[in-house]
Every structure is written in C-alpha cells, then in structure tokens.
C-alpha cells in the first residue's frame, strides 16, 4: 500500500506557494493497543494554517519544516485495536495531511455520515461553524431590527455568521470578493444585500447607502481596508467580533491599525477578539443548535470540494485568492 504525506518544505515569506510544500512517500507504524488505522476521506484547508507556517510564537504551535501539515480530517477506520471503534466507522480528528495514518482512538470522534454530509464536520458542524456561533451569539448578540455586517461573508465562517444574525431578526449585509458570491449570499443564504469589494469604487460610501442608520454589529473575518470602511459606518455602542484578519496574514510587516481606533473611541464601540479553541466547553451546545437549525431548514451551507490528495497545497492557497464559496476542502478518494 502506497502512503503519501504532505510536509512543510520551507517557511513562506509573504504569499505562500506550492513550493513551500512537498509530497512524499512514507510508511506506517504498526498498530498498538488503543490505536486505529485511518484512511483520509475529506481534508480541511483553513486560513489559520498560514500563521502556523511561520515560526513566530502564537496561540498554537507552528508546523515544523519537513514534518506533515496537520489539520481537521474526516477519515474512515480501516483497522482497529481499540474497543471504541470498528472497521468502517467514520471519525473526525486533527490528523496529518496523509492518505493513511495511525492515531490513538482517544484523539478521534465518531460522526454520522448517513444523515449528514461528511464535509459538514469540517465546516458548519465543525470548527468554522462553532466560530460563527460563538462570535455571533456570545459577542455580537444581534437583536431584531439591528444592522449586521459580515466581511469574508461567503466563506466557511461568514456564510454561517450572517445566517445566525438573520435567525435573530437582524438586517444582514455581506462583503465578499465576487458578484457570484454576492448573488449566492442574497439568493441562497438570505443576506439582505451584499457588496463586491473587488469592484466597489468607494466601499465606505456603498456601505453607508445600504446601512443608512449605521451598523450595530460587525463580524470581521478579513481586517485591513474593508474593516476601515465598515468601522467608518458604525453606530454608537456597536459591537465587533474580531474573528479573522485574512487580508493581513501574508504581510511580512504588520500594517498600522490606528485608523480605526478614533472611531472606536468616539462611538463607544466594543471590540472583542476571540479564538474558538478557547470555547471548547461550548462546542456541544453549538453542535446541537447548528444541527437543529440545519434540520429545520433555517441554515444552509456550501462547500467547495477539490478532488485529489495532491491538490491540498493548491486548495489551501486558493483561500487567499477567494477560490471558495463556503468551506474549502479536499476529497482524497
Ligand atoms: N477566531 C477564530 O477562532 C477563527 C476560527 C476560524 C476562522 N477564523 C478566521 O476567520 C476568517 C474566515 O475563515 P474561513 O475558514 O471562513 O475562511 P474562508 O472565508 O472560507 O476563506 C477565506 C476567504 O477570505 C477571503 N479573502 C482572502 N484574502 C482576502 C483579502 N486580502 N481581503 C479580503 N478577503 C480576503 C476570500 O473570499 P473573497 O472572495 O470574499 O475575497 C476567501 O474565500 C479567517 O480570517 C480565519 O483566519 C478565526
């Protein structure tokens, strides 16, 4: 059996490229008691992985050069020396970018892929969905009649965040990078309106036209100039959930953030950053609630699935040029 893995070949400076990754053959350890043999099925690519390609200290350890990239994977159990799992079970866990791997059963969670699409455990019923849930329910807390703006609105987190605000009766405006994404936000995901920041001539003005009474809530996935344009339109006592800053992840030097601070001060804005892994005690609640809303048809989701293990680096890089609608992932077989 040929086993392939993808390792970090070198640390990128600025925008990463496929040359920062290397695909190689590997061998598997024998199964010990309490371990299972896994065949990867769907592998997640996520923006946070860009930070882990650097060597700087952060909330999570860096990837090591010449070692496999690790992330969320939905996998099938091929062999088991654990009483918790049987051959054929489908599980989700943090696993290497590899076609097969051996791991401890305790690191894995069994999932139902009969009623639920397997990729959903990497998206709406996984880390990105939980992020939208925590950011919107705990920090933004939108109520009926408020105006909510979501940047990165057509991505894995953003699609869910906007719909959660709609469920709570808010008017929701999305900001995304193409007309196709903006159309889907309105036609499929219930957004009231959406702006394509790539074709907008003056984003601040366009936002002002769509939000004449000011913005009460901003769910920020991207940072940078988009955030400056949104912040200029915030109402007094607005709330910001600082979820992501993808527009800044490939910068070799940090951009200055001072332009937004005077607005935050004079409008008494509450801004809170958050890291979803610090809310693991709430994942059960988030999973139950998101599943219920999915089953009731109140939430919809989208996936961009790229076929082929060797396409992982390309899929990951595609996140930085907006190649995905909803959750980006790679189907291995
Ligand atoms: N705080 C947490 O715990 C947590 C957890 C998960 C994710 N996040 C963050 O949340 C954000 C969204 O994550 P996700 O998984 O949902 O990713 P995603 O939105 O599915 O994929 C990234 C998207 O970002 C947009 N983008 C890329 N470069 C951009 C730029 N320079 N300016 C504006 N938009 C850009 C692209 O869409 P367009 O076509 O619209 O440009 C792209 O599709 C990321 O910043 C991520 O790091 C935070």
């Amino acid at each position: 059996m040929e086993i392939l893995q993808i390792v970090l070949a070198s640390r990128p400076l600025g925008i990463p490229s496929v040359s920062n990754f290397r695909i190689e053959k590997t061998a598997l350890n024998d199964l010990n008691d309490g371990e299972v043999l896994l065949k990867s099925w769907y592998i997640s690519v996520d923006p946070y992985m860009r930070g882990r390609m650097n060597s700087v200290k952060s909330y999570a350890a860096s990837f090591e050069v010449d070692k496999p990239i690790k992330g969320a994977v939905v996998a099938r159990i091929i062999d088991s020396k654990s009483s918790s799992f049987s051959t054929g079970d489908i599980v989700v866990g943090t696993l290497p970018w590899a076609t097969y791997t051996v791991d401890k059963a305790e690191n894995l969670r069994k999932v139902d892929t009969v009623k639920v699409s397997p990729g959903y455990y990497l998206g709406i019923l996984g880390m990105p969905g939980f992020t939208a849930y925590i950011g919107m329910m705990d920090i933004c807390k939108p109520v009926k009649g408020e105006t909510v703006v979501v940047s990165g609105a057509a991505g894995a987190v953003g699609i869910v965040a906007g719909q959660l605000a709609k469920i709570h009766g808010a008017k929701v405006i999305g900001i995304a990078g193409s007309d196709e994404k903006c159309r889907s936000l309105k036609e499929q995901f219930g957004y009231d309106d959406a702006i394509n920041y790539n074709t907008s001539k003056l984003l601040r003005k366009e936002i002002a036209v769509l939000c004449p009474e000011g913005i009460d809530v901003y769910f920020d996935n991207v940072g940078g100039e988009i955030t400056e344009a949104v912040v200029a339109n915030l109402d007094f006592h607005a709330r910001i959930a600082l979820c992501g800053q993808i527009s800044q992840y490939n910068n070799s030097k940090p951009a200055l953030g001072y332009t937004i601070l005077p607005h935050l001060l004079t409008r008494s804005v509450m801004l809170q950053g958050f890291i979803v892994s610090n809310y693991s005690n709430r994942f059960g609640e988030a999973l139950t609630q998101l599943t219920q809303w999915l089953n009731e048809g109140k939430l919809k989701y989208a996936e961009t699935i790229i076929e082929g293990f060797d396409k992982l680096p390309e899929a990951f890089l595609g996140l930085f040029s907006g190649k995905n609608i909803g959750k980006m992932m790679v189907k291995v077989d």
Side-chain angles (χ1 to χ4, degrees):
M1 177 163 78
E2 182 179 69
I3 299 145
L4 299 173
Q5 64 179 12
I6 294 176
V7 301
L8 180 66
S10 57
R11 298 199 187 280
L13 263 185
I15 299 172
S17 73
V18 286
S19 67
N20 296 120
F21 301 89
R22 188 175 65 245
I23 189 162
E24 56 186 31
K25 288 185 185 163
T26 185
L28 288 175
N29 296 331
D30 291 336
L31 273 192
N32 291 317
D33 283 344
E35 290 184 336
V36 292
L37 171 62
L38 298 140
K39 185 173 194 218
S40 298
W41 191 11
Y42 289 87
I43 301 184
S44 181
V45 292
D46 294 273
Y48 77 83
M49 293 172 160
R50 174 64 188 87
R52 293 195 189 177
M53 295 173 83
N54 298 333
S55 65
V56 292
K57 205 170 171 195
S58 181
Y59 63 92
S62 299
F63 296 131
E64 287 179 57
V65 174
D66 296 332
K67 295 274 167 58
I69 307 288
K70 276 191 161 189
V73 178
V74 174
R76 199 185 300 274
I77 307 269
I78 301 295
D79 196 2
S80 174
K81 280 201 173 179
S82 157
S83 53
S84 310
F85 297 113
S86 313
T87 302
D89 283 349
I90 308 295
V91 295
V92 64
T94 302
L95 297 170
W97 282 9
T99 49
Y100 294 84
T101 193
V102 167
D103 208 334
K104 291 196 174 90
E106 67 202 40
N107 297 336
L108 306 164
R109 183 167 58 89
K110 189 171 166 179
V111 292
D112 167 17
T113 54
V114 177
K115 293 194 202 115
V116 176
S117 161
Y120 275 28
Y121 296 105
L122 306 177
I124 188 165
L125 299 181
M127 185 276 284
F130 300 163
T131 304
Y133 184 86
I134 297 296
M136 203 42 93
M137 312 295 271
D138 282 38
I139 300 171
C140 297
K141 298 180 180 149
V143 296
K144 195 167 173 0
E146 286 192 319
T147 299
V148 173
V149 171
V150 180
S151 61
V157 175
I159 278 185
V160 185
Q163 292 182 85
L164 293 178
K166 281 303 307 172
I167 287 172
H168 288 83
K171 168 177 146 181
V172 183
I173 308 296
I175 302 177
S178 73
D179 288 345
E180 186 199 353
K181 289 184 182 188
C182 289
R183 216 174 12 258
S184 311
L185 288 173
K186 289 187 277 183
E187 291 173 5
Q188 281 178 271
F189 301 105
Y191 273 67
D192 294 281
D193 222 319
I195 303 172
N196 175 355
Y197 71 89
N198 277 319
T199 54
S200 167
K201 291 208 168 56
L202 191 50
L203 190 56
R204 186 164 52 85
K205 253 304 201 7
E206 277 195 52
I207 295 169
V209 169
L210 294 181
C211 308
E213 287 162 12
I215 296 163
D216 302 291
V217 164
Y218 176 38
F219 192 105
D220 186 11
N221 283 311
V222 307
E225 287 173 12
I226 293 173
T227 289
E228 284 178 8
V230 175
V231 166
N233 284 290
L234 290 179
D235 202 355
F236 288 94
H237 300 288
R239 290 92 70 199
I240 302 178
L242 193 59
C243 174
Q245 297 281 284
I246 194 167
S247 71
Q248 309 299 305
Y249 295 171
N250 293 318
N251 290 352
S252 7
K253 282 192 196 148
L256 293 179
Y258 295 124
T259 50
I260 67 167
L261 293 181
H263 292 285
L264 303 188
L265 169 67
T266 56
R267 288 172 213 183
S268 305
V269 172
M270 193 281 293
L271 177 149
Q272 189 180 328
F274 71 105
I275 296 296
V276 71
S277 51
N278 294 333
Y279 292 80
S280 54
N281 62 332
R282 304 277 310 289
F283 290 177
E285 169 201 325
L287 180 62
T288 305
Q289 185 60 84
L290 293 167
T291 305
Q292 186 190 321
W293 281 329
L294 263 176
N295 291 339
E296 292 170 354
K298 290 182 178 160
L299 282 179
K300 299 199 172 77
Y301 205 51
E303 299 175 319
T304 301
I305 301 175
I306 311 282
E307 302 252 349
F309 179 73
D310 59 327
K311 297 290 192 308
L312 270 162
E314 213 175 284
F316 167 70
L317 298 173
L319 294 172
F320 298 93
S321 50
K323 296 274 185 326
N324 59 309
I325 292 192
K327 178 66 197 147
M328 178 80 111
M329 68 189 83
V330 166
K331 185 167 184 279
V332 175
D333 64 0

